[in-house]
Amino acid sequence: MADETRLIRAGNSSKALAKTVGPPIQKGSTVLLPDAAALYDDETYVTYGRQGLAAHEALREALAVLEGAVGVALYPSGLGALTGALLAVLETGDEVLVSDTIYKPTRRFCDHMLKRFGVKASYFDPRTAPETLLAKASDRVRVILMESPGSLSFEMQDVAHVAALARDRGILTALDNTWGAGLIYKPLDHGVDLSIQALTKYVGGHSDVFMGSVAARDPGLVRALNEGVVQMGWSVSPEDAYVMLRGLRTLPVRMARQGESGLAVARWLAAQPEVVSVIHPALPGAPDHALWARDYTGACGLFAFVLTPGPVKAVEAFLDALTLFGLGFSWGGFESLAIHCDPQLKTRKIRRDYGGPLIRLHIGLEDPQDLMADLRNALSVYAEAIA
């Protein structure tokens, strides 16, 4: 054979790969099949690299174990997982009931893209009693989409009760469980049909990779999710799947530490004179603490608190005075973060008066005493700004 031909074939050994603790990172769009009959046998073989190779399969299997699922679909982002779950089960003429405290980009998708496709999105107060919510649900409702605790303001829902009543009506339930990460809360065990999370956050854990997942126990829903992934052309890279699986291995250790540190900082904040209230469902006395205590096995490091009333410039002075907290929207990584929530709350149907500016914190892996000292300095700056 000519060099051109031999170079195409050289190095393509069929020798078995060495066994490592992580899966191999296979890079390939073309998948070579064993014979002609396999070319169109999608049930038995992976016929195209976009379907996922070794690292993807290992990640899906591990997430299925974590979630207690029959199958898991992967998406390029958490928002991709949320939109993918809805597109997999909704049709023109359907209605979806959405918690008013849902992740803002999900609301944007519901209000614009779903509306274009002839699907109506109706929003409800997350503290609506489950019986009241289902009583108001029209016959067009196909899905109830929840997020508990709610984005930014951390309202809890009785997810299990909603799921049970919805099942009796033939309505599917879906939950954005990014706060629980499939570890401290397991939606499928509580009757939810579609467990969704932004793996970008706690599973990845290092603020350097995007991905989302949807887990289900019903084989028909798993099939619908997988068909949606194929038909929409979604895929994640093998490197990202490997990194995400690596993050998953240390999720319990990181989340336990960040949950403990978060509670320590939350308790400390509750005693500061510049703080009106702390919104953390794991704190005894919180409005929804009983639901958290019933359903959750732990907490993560994400919560909010309310400053005493003051102008936006004072809030900005507080944030700018922080040195250990980064100012950023994503969370779940090893670093602590802070944002001002009020500008995002304007899109909600239900407006609540929290008694002052709402600040969201993500507590990372730093020493909580150092974080408290940083917050104490910033709170003093805030007090001076409003004096």
Side-chain angles (χ1 to χ4, degrees):
M1 291 187 287
D3 282 348
E4 291 87 347
T5 304
R6 290 190 298 121
L7 286 174
I8 295 297
R9 301 294 184 274
N12 189 15
S13 173
S14 58
K15 181 181 177 181
L17 297 174
K19 180 67 175 176
T20 58
V21 295
I25 298 178
Q26 294 175 284
K27 295 175 67 69
S29 54
T30 298
V31 175
L32 300 177
L33 283 303
D35 51 47
L39 285 170
Y40 297 99
D41 186 359
D42 291 335
E43 296 297 320
T44 306
Y45 297 96
V46 174
T47 58
Y48 194 54
R50 184 164 52 78
Q51 293 172 254
L53 302 168
H56 305 80
E57 184 60 25
L59 176 59
R60 285 193 291 258
E61 287 181 3
L63 287 169
V65 170
L66 176 69
E67 298 265 13
V70 167
V72 174
L74 301 177
Y75 301 83
S77 67
L79 180 60
L82 282 154
T83 60
L86 293 175
L87 290 173
V89 297
L90 289 170
E91 297 180 357
T92 299
D94 285 343
E95 182 178 354
V96 55
L97 297 182
V98 185
S99 171
D100 194 47
T101 54
I102 201 73
Y103 177 53
K104 184 180 176 181
T106 305
R107 178 190 292 271
R108 189 164 56 229
F109 171 79
C110 291
D111 289 346
H112 297 281
M113 190 69 73
L114 284 185
K115 183 178 180 181
R116 284 173 49 201
F117 292 160
V119 175
K120 179 183 178 182
S122 300
Y123 295 91
F124 63 91
D125 188 327
R127 291 199 170 111
T128 301
E131 293 87 352
T132 304
L133 176 63
L134 269 296
K136 292 181 178 179
S138 74
D139 292 338
R140 293 176 54 193
V141 173
R142 171 65 173 154
V143 179
I144 298 175
L145 176 60
M146 299 170 279
E147 182 173 356
S148 183
S151 181
L152 302 176
S153 47
F154 301 94
E155 295 89 349
M156 298 286 293
Q157 289 185 250
D158 192 340
V159 172
H161 196 175
V162 172
L165 294 175
R167 191 174 296 274
D168 290 343
R169 287 273 305 272
I171 298 171
L172 296 172
T173 50
L175 178 73
D176 182 341
N177 188 44
T178 304
W179 199 89
L183 179 69
I184 58 176
Y185 183 69
K186 298 181 183 293
L188 302 184
D189 288 348
H190 293 263
V192 173
D193 295 297
L194 298 168
S195 175
I196 308 165
Q197 63 166 312
L199 302 175
T200 306
K201 307 296 197 292
Y202 273 110
V203 173
H206 292 77
S207 304
D208 58 1
V209 59
F210 293 99
M211 203 176 298
S213 66
V214 184
R217 281 185 180 164
D218 181 88
L221 287 177
V222 173
R223 185 164 51 253
L225 292 170
N226 289 335
E227 288 174 354
V229 167
V230 170
Q231 291 165 12
M232 293 297 292
W234 279 307
S235 67
V236 301
S237 76
E239 293 90 350
D240 285 353
Y242 183 94
V243 169
M244 197 60 73
L245 180 64
R246 185 175 65 183
L248 186 64
R249 306 301 193 199
T250 62
L251 174 64
V253 178
R254 290 183 286 103
M255 206 165 187
R257 167 64 189 273
Q258 289 175 265
E260 292 169 4
S261 295
L263 278 169
V265 174
R267 293 189 192 101
W268 176 85
L269 277 169
Q272 303 310 302
E274 299 86 358
V275 174
V276 172
S277 63
V278 177
I279 306 174
H280 193 317
L283 280 180
D288 302 311
H289 179 70
L291 280 174
W292 174 86
R294 186 193 73 183
D295 294 343
Y296 283 72
T297 60
C300 77
L302 191 76
F303 66 94
F305 70 96
V306 180
L307 289 164
T308 53
V312 171
K313 285 192 176 297
V315 176
E316 291 175 347
F318 165 79
L319 293 173
D320 289 341
L322 294 168
T323 60
L324 297 182
F325 287 81
L327 306 183
F329 288 100
S330 195
W331 44 271
F334 53 83
E335 76 288 357
S336 291
L337 300 166
I339 63 166
H340 181 203
C341 302
D342 291 358
Q344 293 193 64
L345 301 178
K346 296 175 182 177
T347 61
R348 295 186 174 179
K349 304 292 185 184
I350 297 116
R351 304 288 181 87
R352 287 190 171 88
D353 181 2
Y354 294 100
L358 185 66
I359 304 295
R360 189 185 72 185
L361 295 182
H362 172 257
I363 304 302
L365 292 171
E366 302 93 342
D367 188 299
Q369 295 297 324
D370 292 332
L371 297 177
M372 292 176 205
D374 193 31
L375 286 165
R376 182 59 263 163
N377 177 66
L379 288 170
S380 297
V381 171
Y382 181 73
E384 291 174 5
I386 63 175

